[in-house]
Amino acid sequence: MDTRQEGIARLREIVQASKKMVFFGGAGVSTESGIPDFRSQDGLYRQKYKYPPEYILSRTFFDRHTEEFFEFYREKMLCLNAQPNAAHYKLAQWEREGKLAAVITQNIDGLHQKAGSHAVLELHGSIWRNVCMDCGALYPAEQIAESAGIPRCRCGGVIKPDVVLYEEPLDQAVLARSVELIEEADTLIVGGTSLNVQPAASLIDFFRGKNAAVINRGAPARSMQGVLFIDGKIGEVFSAV
Ligand code: NAD
Ligand code: ZN
């Protein structure tokens, strides 16, 4: 067996022995669904725009250049037709089998729910919720996709996607519940994340369970002590588990 196969075999054993797994993931979980991540070779940060994507996705940019924000957002972030891949489906299966307590995701694409997962904590919000900044009215994502320029509420207010932009705080309740779940987990699987974005990336420090595994293309920015690392596409790896 090569090391990759050994890794997969070990991951299979870990999953079989687990009763309360938590999965912590990022944009790499959805690249096999055709949604670009930020930091890969073909990620959004390597493409050329008038402004750096980090700035476009900041609250300052949203407030100052609202129309340009929405141009970028509609073109690059709104992926309403994307379908879950094998990684999303496997996680939903583990939840149904009673092995997985929750998915904690930095993604905003809603693909875990599309695949059938129920316990999903969205640290950075969701493209599927959109809120009028003046009156709080809710709007479907399709309305943002189909609108031109700045999407507006009936009341005239700007409709903002419920996604956490740089400079914005995370939902404290979601963060606190994520900490709790990681603290209580017997196994932590981390996948498809560069672990660059704080405070999300620091959540893994709360894990004190028995087994941890990282499945990623290339090593993430932060390492975890003594964990199983499988370098590969998470959909492919999870299919083989
Ligand atoms: P990131 O782009 O910083 O890192 C992605 C990591 O996943 C990289 O290390 C990359 O090598 C790896 N990767 C890519 N494809 C993979 C695959 N098929 N299997 C395994 N690993 C793979 O993403 P991040 O760490 O999530 O942080 C960036 C921020 O990007 C997050 O806050 C998130 O909100 C946002 N984001 C979300 C989406 C989405 O919702 N799908 C897409 C782009 C960015
Ligand atoms: Zn309104």
Side-chain angles (χ1 to χ4, degrees):
M1 268 204 287
D2 66 17
T3 49
R4 184 187 156 96
Q5 276 179 316
E6 275 169 24
I8 290 170
R10 176 74 193 117
L11 182 59
R12 191 177 303 127
E13 284 171 12
I14 290 175
V15 171
Q16 274 165 3
S18 301
K19 296 193 176 76
K20 232 180 177 181
M21 293 193 286
V22 165
F23 178 79
F24 177 81
V29 174
S30 294
T31 54
E32 288 164 86
S33 296
I35 303 174
D37 64 8
F38 282 173
R39 294 178 183 79
S40 287
Q41 274 308 311
D42 39 9
L44 292 181
Y45 284 5
R46 307 278 176 107
Q47 301 174 22
K48 277 276 160 266
Y49 301 103
K50 206 166 132 198
Y51 304 97
E54 297 94 315
Y55 180 46
I56 302 179
L57 296 171
S58 70
R59 182 57 191 254
T60 303
F61 190 88
F62 179 89
D63 290 336
R64 286 188 193 156
H65 309 274
T66 315
E67 191 160 351
E68 274 172 288
F69 170 88
F70 276 106
E71 254 170 52
F72 181 90
Y73 179 80
R74 277 195 202 92
E75 196 182 322
K76 300 292 174 187
M77 316 285 293
L78 262 193
C79 37
L80 303 187
N81 296 321
Q83 294 304 318
N85 65 56
H88 300 103
Y89 286 119
K90 186 64 90 168
L91 288 162
Q93 179 193 322
W94 288 337
E95 182 190 276
R96 277 195 303 277
E97 292 171 354
K99 295 179 160 305
L100 183 93
V103 168
I104 301 171
T105 183
Q106 301 166 82
N107 293 347
I108 56 174
D109 55 33
L111 289 184
H112 287 293
Q113 292 91 332
K114 253 191 200 175
S117 282
H118 297 281
V120 182
L121 285 101
E122 296 172 315
L123 292 169
H124 295 157
S126 173
I127 59 170
W128 294 98
R129 290 185 299 272
N130 298 278
V131 192
C132 169
M133 293 172 81
D134 287 352
C135 76
L138 296 175
Y139 287 91
E142 288 78 7
Q143 183 138 348
I144 309 292
E146 287 157 15
S147 62
I150 301 172
R152 298 255 173 209
C153 176
R154 276 170 243 105
C155 82
V158 175
I159 305 172
K160 183 180 179 289
D162 184 17
V163 302
V164 179
L165 300 173
Y166 288 109
E167 301 160 5
E168 289 183 327
L170 273 61
D171 182 318
Q172 291 306 304
V174 174
L175 200 55
R177 181 69 188 128
S178 300
V179 168
E180 238 169 53
L181 281 158
I182 291 178
E183 281 177 341
E184 290 166 4
D186 58 3
T187 295
L188 178 66
I189 304 181
V190 175
T193 174
S194 66
L195 296 178
N196 270 308
V197 179
Q198 295 295 358
S202 292
L203 280 175
I204 60 173
D205 296 338
F206 289 94
F207 179 64
R208 14 182 162 86
K210 198 160 164 235
N211 293 306
V214 175
I215 300 104
N216 207 66
R217 286 176 69 187
R222 308 186 52 223
S223 61
M224 287 167 77
Q225 291 293 312
V227 307
L228 170 67
F229 173 55
I230 304 175
D231 191 338
K233 291 190 179 179
I234 191 161
E236 286 178 17
V237 171
F238 274 11
S239 305
V241 171

